[in-house]
Amino acid sequence: MSGRNFPTAQDAENAFYEALERCDLEGMMAVWAEDEDIVCVHPAGPRLTGQDQVRESWARIFSGGPRARVHIASQVAISGMMLVVHSVHENFTLEGGSKGDARPAPVVATNAYLRTSAGWRMIVHHASPAPSQPEPAARQAAPKMLH
Amino acid sequence: MSGRNFPTAQDAENAFYEALERCDLEGMMAVWAEDEDIVCVHPAGPRLTGQDQVRESWARIFSGGPRARVHIASQVAISGMMLVVHSVHENFTLEGGSKGDARPAPVVATNAYLRTSAGWRMIVHHASPAPSQPEPAARQAAPKMLH
């Protein structure tokens, strides 16, 4: 598929959101593990599993071209040797919008990454709309390392 | 908190859903890691972090008493030494309902479990409503082991 190699789960996450912003289907699929157990849940969507369903969903989402910037905030990271889980807030800004415009509701996402022979790859992306209210207590904790 | 020790992530998951069905707050909190990095997203809800927010949310949910049975289906498991991620479908059946009644929409959940000194505990629960349509391809794959 792709020769890209992500040395850390964070590198894979950065590439995931860059591909999402650019509507870059090949860049997006290069982030995912080449595995039929990959799981993707788009906001308000059903669970998709496997390369075919996941690729098809991103192709459909990207068909309209780039329209939004996404700012990732409030990351919580739980890191094992072979598996890493990140929880993030995805804050989207629509292209052409000004600061005064109504902004889309934030999305909360759980992303899991797997250490493969080809570096770290995404294995789970679960995103759902979150009520647009600030989190009661802002978190700036350092990533938790288990090893 | 609790003396319960879950030898596997699956044991912790079973206890999680048993506590959910029974509206057993202490049983529920005994499943969670004693860690301020725990993350819980209820369907259509904001992200909650830390023991206090998570306990308070379950106390509110459980305040009405048991009303539903939950059947877990279509599990995908990704297992590391210290961290395990499960994706499941939660199918709820309201108490008093018959088979002919309209059933609540299924929920898709991503659950992450951490191996702690006190056995396996939940570290992330992210649940969101899924459209009530069957998954295109039923999955019965064996759990993936990374070690």
Side-chain angles (χ1 to χ4, degrees):
Chain A
M1 182 176 288
S2 162
R4 292 194 69 178
N5 189 307
F6 306 108
T8 70
Q10 187 61 58
D11 293 326
E13 183 151 285
N14 294 344
F16 173 84
Y17 286 109
E18 286 165 18
L20 192 155
E21 280 191 341
R22 291 197 312 266
C23 291
D24 172 1
L25 183 59
E26 296 311 316
M28 168 58 73
M29 294 312 297
V31 175
W32 286 84
E34 296 185 42
D35 194 306
E36 286 310 303
D37 273 345
I38 59 176
V39 170
C40 184
V41 183
H42 296 294
R47 185 178 79 175
L48 308 173
T49 52
Q51 288 279 331
D52 291 349
Q53 289 185 19
V54 173
R55 170 180 281 271
E56 183 188 350
S57 73
W58 287 112
R60 197 166 49 241
I61 289 168
F62 291 168
S63 62
R67 283 167 306 182
R69 305 278 303 183
V70 56
H71 173 68
I72 303 305
S74 311
Q75 187 192 69
V76 175
I78 305 134
S79 303
M81 287 286 283
M82 301 296 285
L83 196 52
V84 161
V85 179
H86 288 175
S87 169
V88 297
H89 280 143
E90 303 173 349
N91 296 299
F92 288 89
T93 310
L94 296 181
E95 291 287 327
S98 71
K99 281 189 177 177
D101 288 354
R103 294 173 61 174
V107 168
V108 58
T110 300
N111 299 324
Y113 303 91
L114 183 63
R115 188 179 185 175
T116 75
S117 57
W120 287 86
R121 297 291 184 97
M122 178 171 268
I123 188 96
V124 175
H125 172 66
H126 183 167
S128 60
S132 54
Q133 62 194 40
E135 201 167 0
R139 295 186 54 79
Q140 294 294 333
K144 175 175 299 298
M145 297 303 291
L146 309 180
H147 56 99
Chain B
M1 181 178 288
S2 162
R4 292 193 69 179
N5 188 308
F6 305 108
T8 69
Q10 187 61 57
D11 293 327
E13 183 150 284
N14 294 346
F16 174 83
Y17 287 109
E18 286 164 17
L20 192 156
E21 279 191 341
R22 292 196 312 266
C23 291
D24 172 1
L25 183 59
E26 295 312 315
M28 168 59 73
M29 293 313 296
V31 175
W32 286 85
E34 296 185 41
D35 194 305
E36 286 310 302
D37 275 344
I38 59 176
V39 169
C40 184
V41 182
H42 296 294
R47 186 178 79 174
L48 308 173
T49 53
Q51 288 280 330
D52 290 350
Q53 289 185 18
V54 173
R55 169 180 282 272
E56 184 188 349
S57 72
W58 288 112
R60 197 166 50 242
I61 289 168
F62 291 168
S63 63
R67 283 167 306 182
R69 303 279 302 183
V70 57
H71 174 67
I72 303 305
S74 311
Q75 187 191 70
V76 176
I78 305 133
S79 302
M81 287 287 282
M82 301 297 284
L83 195 53
V84 162
V85 178
H86 289 175
S87 169
V88 296
H89 280 144
E90 303 173 349
N91 296 300
F92 289 90
T93 310
L94 296 181
E95 291 285 328
S98 71
K99 282 189 176 175
D101 288 355
R103 294 173 61 172
V107 168
V108 58
T110 301
N111 298 325
Y113 303 91
L114 184 64
R115 188 178 184 176
T116 75
S117 57
W120 287 86
R121 297 291 184 94
M122 180 171 265
I123 188 94
V124 174
H125 172 66
H126 184 167
S128 61
S132 53
Q133 63 194 40
E135 200 167 357
R139 294 187 54 80
Q140 295 295 334
K144 176 175 298 299
M145 297 303 291
L146 307 180
H147 57 96

